[in-house]
Amino acid sequence: MPFIPHTETDIQDMLAAIGVNDIEQLFDEIPRALRTGPLNLVPEAMSEMEITRLLHRRAAQDHVDLNFIGAGAYEHHIPAAVWQIATRGEFYSAYTPYQAEASQGTLQLVYEYQTMMTGLTGMDVSNASLYDGASALAEAVLMSVRANRKSKSHRVLMPATVNPVYRSVTRAIVHGQGIELVEVPFDPATGRVDPKSLAAFEGQDITALVIPQPNFFGVLEEADALTDWAHAQDAQVIGVVNPVSLALLKPPGEWGGKGADIVCGEGQPLGAPLSSGGPYFGFMCCRKEHVRQMPGRIVGRTLDADGRTGFVLTLQAREQHIRRSKATSNICTNQGLVVTAATIHMALLGPEGLERVAAACHANTHALIERLKPLGVTPAFAGEAFHEIAFRLPKPVRPVLDAMAQQGVLGGYALGDDYSDLGDLLLVCATETKTEADLDRYAEVMKAALA
């Protein structure tokens, strides 16, 4: 963003206004021992041409490896227009739109984001986003406890096929609030939860069941059967979904006979770069009957006194607006800039474009399977997968990954890091960014690493 520095006169006028002689006096309460002094930058000064060459030289030291890691953060193509628009000053510097009359653009964008997310998930309502996918699941668990008043146990069934980071974050947030997370094991043959394995919980007081779709292994869960089972136990259903997959898969609002109650997930695949882990954003949608328990805020559309369309903050169930005991969350802001990028990204792609991306991801996954079969590297699970897949290697995973990395290929994610009994399994992700040449390169480097 353009920046105009203060002149020396500006600085003196400001110091005079607060009764301080100089900058040194302004910070005199900081002990001198804690002041580091000048930064001693070397060289002290360079011309524009010299510094341009220096930065180009430093940038050349970076290299981008061929990336086949997924596990919750995905490399997708982002049209150049997405961040060109998102970083305009009107969006880049915008904050919480408390004054509706001065924030119509921001409010309209969030309203359109909410509309797109409800369309993707098949749910009634979307909030204006959360911090990330992991904290969104934690908030969904808290929300289910508030919304399911039939249940007194505060027990939530959490499949082991849910992203391990999501499970860890959720446990950290809810364990001190009397909520019990009960782990549900997966079938080692299919890589998903067997609905029959839930028989042990029948007749018990269960608050909610979490259903990842696709799950952490990329495998598709039997969402319809799991949803119907949960509702038969008077438990709520929390769907954890990949938004790109929803361009092909049945939306959670249509799972089973009644659909999911709450849906959440990570919005990073919708226009956010990997960027060393963030910032990303979490999304959350729900059925209309639960909207009063939803954390964050909701933007709505209305008419002003002259009959013109306007946008307002419709629901703000936060401590700043209502009594602390009534607040659903202490979230004070959200990932508005990344949501802006996601909204632009979805608008540019449209339903057809997003479907093409999802189809390309699915096709690349199957193409990679065919390339690795001759190497004795086969899928570890029998279930259908989207976008990423777990392979069983004939050798320990870590040395293979290290050897591939030396050849500039990031081979995947070692599942043994989170699942002690899956030490020979490698989780590999192939999005639409991977070409035929990339897939050939992966197989070539894998063959050399195995040898």
Side-chain angles (χ1 to χ4, degrees):
M1 296 173 61
F3 174 67
I4 301 175
H6 300 300
T7 65
E8 191 61 37
T9 301
D10 294 333
I11 295 172
Q12 293 304 320
D13 288 345
M14 288 188 284
L15 292 174
I18 60 176
V20 177
N21 294 327
D22 51 35
I23 298 293
E24 185 72 18
Q25 186 181 355
L26 179 63
F27 296 105
D28 61 1
E29 72 267 27
I30 301 176
R32 185 165 294 279
L34 299 180
R35 303 187 205 178
T36 59
L39 295 178
N40 296 321
L41 297 177
V42 178
E44 291 187 1
M46 299 178 73
S47 70
E48 180 180 342
M49 182 174 67
E50 290 171 331
I51 200 166
T52 299
R53 294 193 62 160
L54 172 64
L55 293 178
H56 279 156
R57 193 161 60 246
R58 290 180 176 175
Q61 296 174 2
D62 293 335
H63 64 278
V64 179
D65 291 328
L66 187 57
N67 177 33
F68 282 83
I69 305 175
Y74 303 106
E75 183 179 17
H76 288 286
H77 171 67
I78 303 171
V82 171
W83 285 96
Q84 179 66 32
I85 298 172
T87 52
R88 284 180 58 94
E90 303 94 314
F91 293 127
Y92 200 72
S93 60
Y95 186 58
T96 302
Y98 290 117
Q99 290 180 275
E101 66 277 12
S103 307
Q104 283 299 291
T106 301
L107 288 165
Q108 180 177 345
L109 182 137
V110 174
Y111 179 83
E112 292 178 0
Y113 159 78
Q114 294 170 176
T115 304
M116 293 175 183
M117 294 311 301
T118 54
L120 267 180
T121 60
M123 303 300 286
D124 298 326
V125 188
S126 166
N127 71 3
S129 84
L130 298 165
Y131 290 123
D132 57 23
S135 60
L137 176 56
E139 290 288 351
V141 168
L142 294 171
M143 180 179 168
S144 70
V145 170
R146 295 191 299 268
N148 189 355
R149 299 187 180 183
K150 292 181 180 180
S151 174
K152 305 301 180 185
S153 69
H154 295 181
R155 296 180 74 208
V156 175
L157 302 184
M158 180 73 73
T161 56
V162 173
N163 188 317
V165 173
Y166 288 25
R167 286 187 278 130
S168 176
V169 170
T170 300
R171 190 176 301 111
I173 291 175
V174 309
H175 84 281
Q177 303 189 48
I179 297 174
E180 181 186 2
L181 299 180
V182 182
E183 185 169 293
V184 179
F186 61 89
D187 182 346
T190 64
R192 61 189 175 206
V193 174
D194 184 352
K196 296 178 183 177
S197 68
L198 297 175
F201 299 102
E202 288 182 0
Q204 299 183 24
D205 182 359
I206 302 298
T207 302
L209 168 66
V210 178
I211 303 176
Q213 186 71 325
N215 66 28
F216 186 64
F217 307 137
V219 175
L220 303 187
E221 297 280 358
E222 296 185 52
D224 289 338
L226 295 173
T227 298
D228 287 340
W229 179 89
H231 286 153
Q233 314 305 312
D234 290 327
Q236 293 202 329
V237 171
I238 301 172
V240 183
V241 298
N242 179 330
V244 172
S245 74
L246 295 180
L248 293 179
L249 302 179
K250 179 188 293 186
E254 298 176 10
W255 289 352
K258 297 181 180 178
D261 297 278
I262 306 168
V263 179
C264 62
E266 174 58 64
Q268 178 270 328
L270 301 175
L274 291 175
S275 191
S276 301
Y280 299 159
F281 76 93
F283 61 86
M284 178 182 285
C285 303
C286 73
R287 289 157 64 172
K288 188 175 181 180
E289 63 197 77
H290 304 314
V291 68
R292 286 286 177 183
Q293 301 302 331
M294 178 175 277
R297 57 178 179 263
I298 296 174
V299 173
R301 185 175 67 179
T302 186
L303 298 176
D304 66 10
D306 298 322
R308 297 174 299 184
T309 298
F311 299 90
V312 295
L313 284 174
T314 301
L315 184 68
Q316 303 177 80
R318 305 188 300 166
E319 294 170 344
Q320 292 164 284
H321 305 106
I322 59 178
R323 295 194 304 277
R324 182 181 297 271
S325 61
K326 296 286 187 179
T328 56
S329 174
N330 65 352
I331 295 171
C332 295
T333 188
N334 66 2
Q335 306 300 86
L337 182 63
V338 194
V339 165
T340 299
T343 308
I344 298 167
H345 185 83
M346 288 187 284
L348 286 173
L349 265 63
E352 182 181 343
L354 199 62
E355 184 176 345
R356 287 201 302 269
V357 169
C361 293
H362 187 258
N364 277 344
T365 301
H366 285 271
L368 191 60
I369 292 173
E370 295 304 315
R371 282 169 169 79
L372 296 183
K373 277 182 181 178
L375 308 181
V377 176
T378 56
F381 303 120
E384 181 59 76
F386 170 80
H387 183 268
E388 55 194 324
I389 192 164
F391 289 102
R392 192 177 302 280
L393 301 190
K395 287 190 174 183
V397 170
R398 273 293 163 201
V400 172
L401 286 179
D402 291 343
M404 295 181 73
Q406 291 177 7
Q407 299 301 314
V409 177
L410 305 179
Y413 185 85
L415 285 174
D417 291 350
D418 294 297
Y419 300 87
S420 59
D421 54 342
L422 302 181
D424 59 343
L425 265 58
L426 175 64
L427 187 65
V428 182
C429 177
T431 68
E432 86 286 1
T433 62
K434 300 300 175 283
T435 65
E436 293 286 327
D438 293 336
L439 300 178
D440 290 339
R441 172 69 175 156
Y442 184 92
E444 174 190 333
V445 172
M446 170 69 80
K447 180 179 181 180
L450 290 174

